[in-house]
């Protein structure tokens, strides 16, 4: 789903690809880009969904904002996800090596790919993580 052209550095793409995308469902699960996840399959089965995205509104275009600005944008993102009638779980994207501070995120199940991509662009994110019935999270570059 990624296009070949991007303004993102290979280092940033590698950092996103190695991130732990934690979903705070009944049982916490950690999604990894490119790795099949059995717990994701269970969530899809329980919710009768086949798509989801992991998304944040924090630090658009990797520009660090104040806590207040990030929280405000995150609340707007939440409201947008609610309006799309998604099942929303809190999440957290974290660096497994601890080199950068993690970011609160959402895991939105039952969202359409186009809507996920549009929200990522609306909140000026470099990428989102897309999940479909294959249950292999995929990094989708937006810039």
């Amino acid at each position: 789903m990624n296009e070949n052209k991007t303004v993102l550095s290979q280092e940033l793409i590698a950092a996103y690809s190695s991130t732990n995308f934690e979903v705070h469902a009944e049982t916490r699960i950690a999604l990894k880009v490119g790795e099949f996840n059995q717990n994701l399959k269970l969530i899809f089965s329980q919710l009768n969904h086949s798509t989801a995205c992991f998304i944040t509104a924090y630090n658009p275009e990797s520009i660090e904002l104040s806590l207040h600005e990030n929280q405000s944008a995150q609340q707007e993102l939440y409201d947008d996800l609610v309006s799309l009638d998604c099942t929303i779980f809190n999440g957290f994207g974290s660096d497994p090596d601890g080199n950068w501070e993690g970011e609160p995120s959402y895991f939105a199940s039952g969202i359409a790919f186009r809507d996920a991509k549009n929200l990522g662009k609306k909140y000026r994110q470099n990428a989102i993580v897309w999940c479909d019935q294959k249950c292999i999270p995929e990094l989708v570059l937006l810039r």
Side-chain angles (χ1 to χ4, degrees):
M1 286 186 193
N2 283 328
E3 298 173 6
N4 291 333
K5 296 180 184 178
T6 182
V7 300
L8 305 179
S9 71
Q10 290 303 310
E11 293 80 14
L12 188 57
I13 294 169
Y16 289 152
S17 296
S18 68
T19 295
N20 290 325
F21 297 99
E22 302 167 19
V23 178
H24 301 169
E26 187 174 316
T27 301
R28 288 187 180 212
I29 62 172
L31 302 175
K32 296 294 286 183
V33 170
E35 294 180 15
F36 174 81
N37 191 294
Q38 181 64 35
N39 290 323
L40 178 57
K41 187 174 183 175
L42 292 173
I43 287 175
F44 281 163
S45 177
Q46 290 169 350
L47 297 175
N48 198 28
H49 290 161
S50 61
T51 61
C53 78
F54 195 93
I55 188 170
T56 187
Y58 267 58
N59 301 322
E61 298 175 3
S62 296
I63 299 167
E64 193 169 336
L65 300 181
S66 72
L67 180 60
H68 174 74
E69 290 171 306
N70 279 324
Q71 287 175 336
S72 178
Q74 193 75 348
Q75 181 61 53
E76 289 178 35
L77 171 59
Y78 180 83
D79 294 342
D80 284 342
L81 292 169
V82 168
S83 75
L84 293 171
D85 201 29
C86 300
T87 302
I88 306 163
F89 296 94
N90 287 321
F92 196 78
S94 64
D95 177 6
D97 297 326
N99 293 326
W100 52 269
E101 191 174 329
E103 295 176 342
S105 304
Y106 295 117
F107 178 79
S109 187
I111 192 169
F113 179 68
R114 182 180 65 237
D115 291 334
K117 214 170 150 181
N118 286 342
L119 284 176
K121 288 180 179 181
K122 176 180 179 178
Y123 291 95
R124 298 178 23 236
Q125 294 301 300
N126 292 329
I128 59 171
V129 174
W130 177 249
C131 305
D132 62 17
Q133 68 277 359
K134 294 179 289 199
C135 299
I136 301 172
E138 177 183 350
L139 186 65
V140 177
L141 304 178
L142 302 175
R143 298 185 54 231

